[in-house]
Amino acid sequence: MTLSGRSIERELAMVKLRGTGEHRVEALRLAEESVSRARDRRHHRKLRVRNHRQSAKINQFIDLMRPLGLVEVSRTGVAAIGRGAEGM
């Protein structure tokens, strides 16, 4: 929340997974369910997922990915803009 009122806050997270079989299928399902964009690179045995959400939702998503072959996470930090016609 900004000093003057409510805001829209988002963060970008990029998640890299390594997995095969059931773990890969489950990771793709969870990515789709969480409105993420997955890039499935089967010949590299890696799955990359982009997620633009609130920080708490990204934390939950990362926790779900840990047992499925999480390799690396990169996050931007929160970006925010005020709601309504006025500036922040």
Side-chain angles (χ1 to χ4, degrees), residues 5 17 29 43 47 72 76 86-87:
L17 300 142
R29 186 187 70 74
H43 58 284
L47 176 66
E72 185 177 359
T76 61
E86 299 299 318

Side-chain angles (χ1 to χ4, degrees), residues 23-75:
H23 284 182
R24 182 180 216 82
V25 170
E26 181 65 4
L28 283 167
R29 186 187 70 74
L30 288 170
E32 183 178 307
E33 194 175 278
S34 72
V35 193
S36 300
R37 294 192 180 192
R39 184 168 182 198
D40 190 1
R41 309 245 351 227
R42 291 185 188 278
H43 58 284
H44 291 290
R45 292 194 171 144
K46 290 189 181 109
L47 176 66
R48 293 187 180 100
V49 180
R50 249 187 353 213
N51 194 323
H52 302 84
R53 308 226 28 210
Q54 294 169 324
S55 295
K57 297 281 187 185
I58 290 174
N59 291 339
Q60 291 172 353
F61 181 74
I62 290 169
D63 288 342
L64 290 171
M65 294 294 117
R66 286 184 200 285
L68 300 177
L70 183 69
V71 173
E72 185 177 359
V73 176
S74 178
R75 296 174 76 160

